Amino acid sequence: MTDVERHFPEDHLSDEARAIREQFSHSIIENVNVWLNVLDPNMNIVMWNATAEKISGYTREEVLGHARIWEWLYPDEAYRQQIVDEVQAMLSRPMALEKFETRIRCKNGEMKTITWNSRFLIDDGGEVYGAITFGYDITHRQQAEEALQKAHDELSVLYDVASVASESIDLSTILNLSLERVLPIMKSRKGTIHLWDGENEGLRLAAYKGLSFAGAAQLSSVSLHSGLIGRVWRNQAPLTTSNIVTELDRVPETVPDRLFHSYLGVPMRAKGEIRGVFSVLGKAGYNYSAGEINLLTSIADQVGVAVENARLYEQERQLAVAEERRRLARDLHDSVTQSLYSLTLFAEAAQRLVRSGEPQRADRYLARVNDTALNALKEMRMLIYELRPLNLQTEGIVEAIQHRLDAVERRVGIKAHLLADNVDLPAATETEIYYIVQEALNNVLRHANAGSVNVRLRANGQHICVEVEDAGAGFDVAAAEAGGGMGLANMRERATRIGWDLHIDSAPGRGATVQLRGSLEADK
């Protein structure tokens, strides 16, 4: 009994008042913009308003008195049984309010998402004799949320790929991480990246994911004149098919269906030229949407730029190596030529003095021969070591410096000591620090006439200090920098590139200390 019925019993109402009340209730039920239906204890629908008709497409004539409404709204038997079980459980317990969400199939086949709020009808004895259910169509809101999430995921992938490309100069790392980021958003577990191979006039497999070793081997080299990947390259446009079997001339009967896939391939561009082909494989029968094609195209172009940057970096590195070797060759030629010429002069002078009966004076020239030969040996060892390929990635900066001291300083009689803490530096920072240390050691070898040298690499939290110290002849720092000698400008330039501070402390007669300070935070 409602509050209205409790305060105004049925027998006190006139026929006109009763008619007005019924008309008012009917008007509310029919005009409320909410799906409203009433269930009896047997789950039969006994009331179905106009909004329920509008959303579902089923009229009240089709629904009232027919229990098949559950089959219509929930055609999947397992899902339907789950919903029926939940409703029956709700009817079995006299709770004031229940809320749940389901997806229904409308009469026209459209799927919609409905949020339900159910209130139970309870008599004066506390027994449940039915339920009234309000349904809110949240399909558009859910679609908007899904679209927003999809856009967020796609932007995240684009950002991730761009970040990978900017953080690494190693091409293999860029390609493999790009595949790892892209495949989930493309609903795929298999993908390949092929790059242009100018030497063989074709495409070579540079990265893959999800393929067997045999499958990868088959795609290791791709012709430009056949196959889906070659067609992407030739047409310079995206290519998609729902089943690659349609692209095969002959399908072996023994090949199981699970090996067939849908395919999407797009060209990777940079500076208006194609650098390779980015491919993904999905389930057979899947049709890639225009949005997915555009997304993969955008990602492929990001990767294409990374490929071009890696190519330019490698080209620049090779040019730098070639230039460094030419410089070393010039230095080697100049130093050896000068040393040999000096040795010849001193030896000839000693010979003349010996023939003229002045052996004591000849000894002084022979001593100069010895000193010149020793300096030439130092120079030769230093230059030959610099021709040695540097691989800091495998050696690490501490081991690389130790190799230098063992191969050069100690072999020419200089006592060399390395004291180093364990540090983990970015590759670019390690490279610059190593060459600064090498330049400082070269100066000790060439100019200091020192009997010993100490190299220290110390870490205090995030702060790093690198020192090269000798007790040799020393020099006037201001005069050396003004004269452009001793490689000081190169050392300062390298320090500036990594954002570290370089300080040189020296004076004639009191040795020299080259100190480099920085922090790991500055390298990030």
Side-chain angles (χ1 to χ4, degrees), residues 187-307:
K187 303 180 181 67
S188 174
R189 291 183 296 175
K190 300 179 180 180
T192 62
I193 295 178
H194 285 80
L195 299 181
W196 167 246
D197 182 358
E199 184 176 346
N200 297 307
E201 294 292 319
L203 296 169
R204 64 174 178 83
L205 183 63
Y208 68 92
K209 210 160 192 66
L211 301 182
S212 65
F213 179 79
Q218 290 180 341
L219 294 173
S220 62
S221 180
V222 172
S223 169
L224 302 181
H225 308 292
S226 63
L228 295 170
I229 298 172
R231 197 189 308 173
V232 174
W233 178 274
R234 293 197 309 276
N235 296 340
Q236 302 188 17
L239 174 65
T240 181
T241 178
S242 61
N243 199 330
I244 58 175
V245 69
T246 60
E247 305 297 326
L248 302 177
D249 297 329
R250 182 178 65 85
V251 182
E253 295 181 359
T254 57
V255 177
D257 291 341
R258 64 182 175 81
L259 295 183
F260 297 139
H261 300 89
S262 57
Y263 173 81
L264 171 60
V266 298
M268 299 191 309
R269 290 186 174 86
K271 295 183 176 180
E273 296 184 8
I274 297 181
R275 304 299 180 189
V277 176
F278 200 130
S279 304
V280 296
L281 297 168
K283 290 183 178 180
Y286 184 76
N287 292 301
Y288 290 97
S289 66
E292 289 172 320
I293 295 173
N294 290 335
L295 174 63
L296 189 60
T297 299
S298 299
I299 292 171
D301 286 345
Q302 289 271 8
V303 179
V305 171
V307 170

Side-chain angles (χ1 to χ4, degrees), residues 227-439:
L228 295 170
I229 298 172
R231 197 189 308 173
V232 174
W233 178 274
R234 293 197 309 276
N235 296 340
Q236 302 188 17
L239 174 65
T240 181
T241 178
S242 61
N243 199 330
I244 58 175
V245 69
T246 60
E247 305 297 326
L248 302 177
D249 297 329
R250 182 178 65 85
V251 182
E253 295 181 359
T254 57
V255 177
D257 291 341
R258 64 182 175 81
L259 295 183
F260 297 139
H261 300 89
S262 57
Y263 173 81
L264 171 60
V266 298
M268 299 191 309
R269 290 186 174 86
K271 295 183 176 180
E273 296 184 8
I274 297 181
R275 304 299 180 189
V277 176
F278 200 130
S279 304
V280 296
L281 297 168
K283 290 183 178 180
Y286 184 76
N287 292 301
Y288 290 97
S289 66
E292 289 172 320
I293 295 173
N294 290 335
L295 174 63
L296 189 60
T297 299
S298 299
I299 292 171
D301 286 345
Q302 289 271 8
V303 179
V305 171
V307 170
E308 175 65 8
N309 288 341
R311 185 186 70 82
L312 292 175
Y313 175 82
E314 179 61 21
Q315 187 179 67
E316 182 180 350
R317 190 189 68 81
Q318 291 178 356
L319 288 173
V321 169
E323 178 58 32
E324 181 70 7
R325 287 179 177 271
R326 283 193 293 270
R327 182 189 69 80
L328 291 173
R330 289 193 302 270
D331 289 350
L332 184 61
H333 176 269
D334 293 343
S335 63
V336 170
T337 300
Q338 184 177 354
S339 296
L340 290 177
Y341 182 67
S342 298
L343 286 172
T344 301
L345 293 178
F346 293 144
E348 288 179 351
Q351 284 178 340
R352 286 196 301 271
L353 290 170
V354 169
R355 285 196 296 267
S356 64
E358 300 181 75
Q360 291 181 346
R361 292 184 62 193
D363 284 345
R364 291 199 297 270
Y365 283 102
L366 291 175
R368 298 288 296 275
V369 169
N370 182 69
D371 291 342
T372 303
L374 180 59
N375 288 332
L377 177 62
K378 292 179 180 179
E379 189 79 12
M380 286 287 289
R381 286 198 176 278
M382 181 187 69
L383 294 174
I384 290 172
Y385 183 83
E386 289 188 34
L387 288 170
R388 169 183 174 269
L390 176 64
N391 193 348
L392 284 171
Q393 288 185 343
T394 57
E395 292 182 349
I397 187 169
V398 175
E399 189 173 347
I401 294 174
Q402 187 64 64
H403 280 175
R404 157 65 194 236
L405 296 176
D406 292 340
V408 180
E409 278 70 23
R410 288 177 179 169
R411 290 197 178 187
V412 297
I414 296 177
K415 295 179 181 179
H417 303 282
L418 172 63
L419 300 173
D421 297 332
N422 290 325
V423 293
D424 185 14
L425 295 167
T429 302
E430 277 198 340
T431 300
E432 300 296 353
I433 291 175
Y434 175 81
Y435 281 118
I436 291 172
V437 171
Q438 179 175 270
E439 188 68 47

Side-chain angles (χ1 to χ4, degrees), residues 58 67-77 80 84 105:
Y58 293 106
R68 290 189 60 196
I69 182 62
W70 304 103
E71 297 179 10
W72 297 339
L73 296 180
Y74 308 107
D76 180 81
E77 185 175 353
R80 177 174 70 248
V84 170
R105 184 182 296 278

Side-chain angles (χ1 to χ4, degrees), residues 38-56:
V38 177
L39 300 172
D40 67 15
N42 297 318
M43 294 181 57
N44 295 317
I45 295 178
V46 296
M47 182 179 291
W48 190 261
N49 75 343
T51 303
E53 289 185 335
K54 180 180 178 182
I55 294 175
S56 69

